[in-house]
Amino acid sequence: MDRRTFLKTAAASSAVVAFARTALAADRYFPTQVNQALFEGINRVKDPAMKTGLEKSHAPVLTAPASVKAGEPFNVEISVGETLHPMLPTHWIEFIELRIGNEPAGMADLQANGYVKPKVAFTVVIPKEAAPSGKVTLLGRQHCNLHGLWEGSLDIAVS
Ligand SMILES: [Fe+2]
């Protein structure tokens, strides 16, 4: 094999190896069998009138007054699921987050040692300028180690 042929072969081999590595990197392996589609984006309830079992136990449920006054504190409670999600050593909620619209407002990290349930309360104050239309959307997000990222929302009026 002459030098030119060797270099061409070596370059082609490198390209094949690089492609194979890229293809392998696209695969993800979990020690517990999971539905990988749940880890490809944010999961939400598809039809509120017909929630699936997974949606009932994973979609964050937000509770807050329907109407609040700008500049005055109020409570927003976020529970993970209509039926509270388990907090087991192998299956638990890692965090619960509150967003005011698209702005992160707070986050609670949870541990799977059995001390806490996946339900938190935040005390929130919304300034007048944050709700120019008189409404604001509260977003609750949570991450389950086996079922991915989930989001629920609640619109409230701000006067
Ligand atoms: Fe889960």
Side-chain angles (χ1 to χ4, degrees), residues 58 85 91 144 147:
H58 287 82
H85 189 282
H91 182 198
C144 167
H147 300 108

mmCIF file of all heavy atoms in Angstrom, residues 58 85 91 144 147, ligand 1:
data_model
loop_
_atom_site.group_PDB
_atom_site.id
_atom_site.type_symbol
_atom_site.label_atom_id
_atom_site.label_comp_id
_atom_site.label_asym_id
_atom_site.label_seq_id
_atom_site.Cartn_x
_atom_site.Cartn_y
_atom_site.Cartn_z
ATOM 1 N N HIS A 58 -48.307 12.609 37.849
ATOM 2 C CA HIS A 58 -47.095 13.375 37.539
ATOM 3 C C HIS A 58 -47.312 14.847 37.195
ATOM 4 O O HIS A 58 -46.419 15.655 37.430
ATOM 5 C CB HIS A 58 -46.332 12.710 36.382
ATOM 6 C CG HIS A 58 -45.648 11.463 36.808
ATOM 7 N ND1 HIS A 58 -46.306 10.260 36.892
ATOM 8 C CD2 HIS A 58 -44.378 11.229 37.221
ATOM 9 C CE1 HIS A 58 -45.454 9.338 37.324
ATOM 10 N NE2 HIS A 58 -44.285 9.893 37.526
ATOM 11 N N HIS A 85 -47.404 11.644 44.146
ATOM 12 C CA HIS A 85 -46.409 10.723 43.582
ATOM 13 C C HIS A 85 -45.601 10.074 44.711
ATOM 14 O O HIS A 85 -45.308 10.713 45.709
ATOM 15 C CB HIS A 85 -45.487 11.533 42.662
ATOM 16 C CG HIS A 85 -44.559 10.710 41.861
ATOM 17 N ND1 HIS A 85 -43.409 10.156 42.391
ATOM 18 C CD2 HIS A 85 -44.597 10.330 40.568
ATOM 19 C CE1 HIS A 85 -42.786 9.484 41.435
ATOM 20 N NE2 HIS A 85 -43.482 9.567 40.326
ATOM 21 N N HIS A 91 -37.632 5.540 42.871
ATOM 22 C CA HIS A 91 -38.613 6.263 42.058
ATOM 23 C C HIS A 91 -39.106 7.452 42.868
ATOM 24 O O HIS A 91 -39.866 7.283 43.809
ATOM 25 C CB HIS A 91 -39.783 5.316 41.713
ATOM 26 C CG HIS A 91 -40.821 5.920 40.838
ATOM 27 N ND1 HIS A 91 -42.082 5.395 40.714
ATOM 28 C CD2 HIS A 91 -40.803 7.022 40.033
ATOM 29 C CE1 HIS A 91 -42.788 6.130 39.878
ATOM 30 N NE2 HIS A 91 -42.038 7.137 39.451
ATOM 31 N N CYS A 144 -39.385 13.730 37.602
ATOM 32 C CA CYS A 144 -39.419 12.376 38.176
ATOM 33 C C CYS A 144 -38.244 11.601 37.588
ATOM 34 O O CYS A 144 -38.002 11.676 36.386
ATOM 35 C CB CYS A 144 -40.743 11.698 37.811
ATOM 36 S SG CYS A 144 -40.738 9.917 38.125
ATOM 37 N N HIS A 147 -39.861 9.211 35.034
ATOM 38 C CA HIS A 147 -40.886 9.647 34.089
ATOM 39 C C HIS A 147 -40.678 11.054 33.546
ATOM 40 O O HIS A 147 -41.592 11.633 32.965
ATOM 41 C CB HIS A 147 -42.278 9.506 34.734
ATOM 42 C CG HIS A 147 -42.589 8.093 35.119
ATOM 43 N ND1 HIS A 147 -42.632 7.660 36.424
ATOM 44 C CD2 HIS A 147 -42.840 7.006 34.346
ATOM 45 C CE1 HIS A 147 -42.891 6.361 36.445
ATOM 46 N NE2 HIS A 147 -43.020 5.931 35.208
HETATM 47 FE FE FE B 1 -42.771 8.836 38.366
#
